[in-house]
Amino acid sequence: MRHKAWYMAGALCLLLIFVHACKKEGNGGSGSTAPEPYTLQLPAGFPPPVYNFSQNPLTKQGIALGRYLFYDFRLSRDSTVSCGFCHQQFAAFGHFDHSLSHGVGGRQGNRSVPVIFNMIWQKEFMWDGGVNNLEIQPLTPLTDPNEMGVDLKELLAKMQADPKYRKRFKDAFGTEEITSQRMFRAITQFVATMVSFNSKYDSVMRKEPGVHFDAEEAAGYAIYQQKCAACHKEPLFTDLSYRSNGLPYIPGLNDVGRMRITQNTADYIKFKVPSLRNIIVSSPYMHDGRYFDIFQVFDFYDHGVKVTTSTDPLVKNGIPLSDMEKRQLYFFLNTLTDKTLVKNPALSEILIE
């Protein structure tokens, strides 16, 4: 009986060791812990996000890795350009000081840098909708020779050779393996946290105590509802459609807009309708960044529209705006600035070791 008891105790000990080893393996090896789930605060009154989180659930470690990747200049060919270099937080993750995107070696693109907040409510990305998956979107700027210009295989090999990157991927995904899918999913997790729904406008819509539009903001809101809301629909302040707004064509850029994707001449010089959220802090405006002042945009719609065969019927006769209406509209658009987005330390640039 004593021998049998010793045998059973030994077997139980071996079983416990096996279970413990399997648990460690499932957590990515010695010293690893499972990534901690992260709950994203979503606004009431918004439609459900269209991004499918089931294959890429948010975790604190995944978001942290995405933030690290987003601000790492080493992801570009010559280590001079990061995602955050073009998508500047203070400009609502647009690019404040250049009309067109620019990248490694001083190269320049032919479109302005779009803002990237509230991306989880979009199905298509870029000005022409040329990317239809949020996880794949980073591939374009990473490999574009006018932006980050990196060879993806070389980048992954460089990251795999970095022990600090291996640890960050292990923390986020359970093992040290670094793949493009994991990299893109981590960046997506970080970008998913760039949500904007805490402007003064939002506080007014939520009927928060003591918050209301002043007279000029209220007048501007009425003008917006009458003259802008058909394309810039609440609450996202865009209907995410592609339209030609009558912007005069600039020779040399050779940008045919949405037609490049669809090969349909009806889509000639059509571009995605941008959100008006954070519009005052996210100049320059238009797909080619030609306007740096919102009043230039007002003037364009008032008397600068050039009609072509694809110009949207809503703007082909212009949008008349008096000087008073421009002023009031400006004050309303200021209420769409979300300071919790542009000043959120959790989204800010971090020091890359």
Side-chain angles (χ1 to χ4, degrees):
M1 291 292 292
R2 181 178 298 174
H3 290 294
K4 184 175 181 180
W6 277 106
Y7 174 79
M8 293 179 65
L12 179 59
C13 183
L14 288 173
L15 178 62
L16 290 173
I17 292 172
F18 175 75
V19 170
H20 181 64
C22 289
K23 185 176 180 180
K24 287 170 67 179
E25 177 66 24
N27 286 337
S30 178
S32 293
T33 57
E36 303 171 69
Y38 177 88
T39 301
L40 183 64
Q41 182 185 1
L42 296 175
F46 271 46
V50 298
Y51 176 69
N52 182 7
F53 286 99
S54 65
Q55 299 301 311
N56 187 27
L58 297 181
T59 67
K60 293 180 180 179
Q61 292 83 354
I63 293 168
L65 172 58
R67 181 186 180 195
Y68 191 85
L69 288 160
F70 188 84
Y71 287 112
D72 192 351
F73 285 82
R74 296 172 296 176
L75 267 62
S76 62
R77 187 181 69 233
D78 59 3
S79 298
T80 62
V81 177
S82 68
C83 302
F85 173 78
C86 285
H87 296 284
Q88 301 163 323
Q89 184 182 9
F90 70 87
F93 293 98
H95 198 55
F96 176 77
D97 52 353
H98 283 78
S99 57
L100 301 175
S101 63
H102 63 293
V104 294
R107 298 177 70 91
Q108 180 175 279
N110 65 347
R111 291 177 181 168
S112 62
V113 175
V115 294
I116 56 170
F117 59 82
N118 291 350
M119 298 280 273
I120 57 176
W121 282 280
Q122 299 186 33
K123 293 181 179 180
E124 298 169 339
F125 309 93
M126 318 296 279
W127 278 105
D128 57 15
V131 177
N132 61 7
N133 186 315
L134 182 55
E135 293 179 18
I136 302 301
Q137 195 280 328
L139 179 64
T140 299
L142 275 170
T143 58
D144 190 318
N146 293 322
E147 296 186 47
M148 300 175 80
V150 77
D151 180 279
L152 198 57
K153 290 183 179 179
E154 292 179 3
L155 173 61
L156 293 174
K158 181 169 66 173
M159 294 168 68
Q160 191 73 60
D162 185 336
K164 292 180 180 178
Y165 256 123
R166 292 200 304 271
K167 181 182 184 304
R168 289 177 181 275
F169 273 83
K170 186 175 183 179
D171 291 342
F173 296 106
T175 71
E176 293 185 348
E177 183 183 14
I178 298 176
T179 66
S180 58
Q181 183 186 65
R182 285 182 167 185
M183 176 174 64
F184 294 155
R185 284 186 171 180
I187 294 173
T188 299
Q189 287 193 42
F190 177 57
V191 170
T193 67
M194 298 176 184
V195 290
S196 183
F197 57 89
N198 278 317
S199 64
K200 179 178 180 178
Y201 158 85
D202 295 299
S203 296
V204 172
M205 294 300 109
R206 290 193 290 260
K207 299 184 182 338
E208 295 180 6
V211 185
H212 54 82
F213 290 140
D214 64 26
E216 290 198 290
E217 291 167 349
Y221 184 40
I223 295 165
Y224 153 78
Q225 290 178 309
Q226 178 187 357
K227 301 188 177 186
C228 312
C231 300
H232 298 280
K233 291 184 178 180
E234 299 170 80
L236 294 174
F237 283 86
T238 171
D239 64 358
L240 299 175
S241 65
Y242 302 90
R243 300 174 187 261
S244 172
N245 65 350
L247 199 66
Y249 183 77
I250 295 182
L253 289 181
N254 298 318
D255 192 346
V256 297
R258 178 72 171 163
M259 191 177 83
R260 183 178 73 90
I261 305 301
T262 65
Q263 299 299 304
N264 185 342
T265 55
D267 289 327
Y268 175 65
I269 58 175
K270 289 185 177 181
F271 297 90
K272 182 186 288 185
V273 175
S275 175
L276 294 182
R277 285 183 174 272
N278 303 294
I279 191 71
I280 298 301
V281 299
S282 59
S283 65
Y285 307 117
M286 306 299 178
H287 70 276
D288 54 14
R290 71 178 67 189
Y291 300 135
F292 275 81
D293 189 309
I294 194 66
F295 281 89
Q296 292 177 306
V297 178
F298 297 159
D299 289 342
F300 156 70
Y301 281 115
D302 178 58
H303 56 261
V305 171
K306 302 297 182 185
V307 177
T308 68
T309 55
S310 62
T311 302
D312 196 281
L314 289 172
V315 298
K316 68 179 182 179
N317 295 319
I319 302 176
L321 291 166
S322 69
D323 288 345
M324 178 64 75
E325 288 175 321
K326 293 173 186 176
R327 173 185 169 87
Q328 292 169 337
L329 188 55
Y330 168 77
F331 278 107
F332 168 68
L333 293 179
N334 268 282
T335 72
L336 300 180
T337 299
D338 184 353
K339 294 180 181 178
T340 65
L341 174 79
V342 299
K343 295 184 177 181
N344 185 351
L347 302 175
S348 299
E349 185 169 1
I350 56 176
L351 180 65
I352 302 297
E353 301 171 355

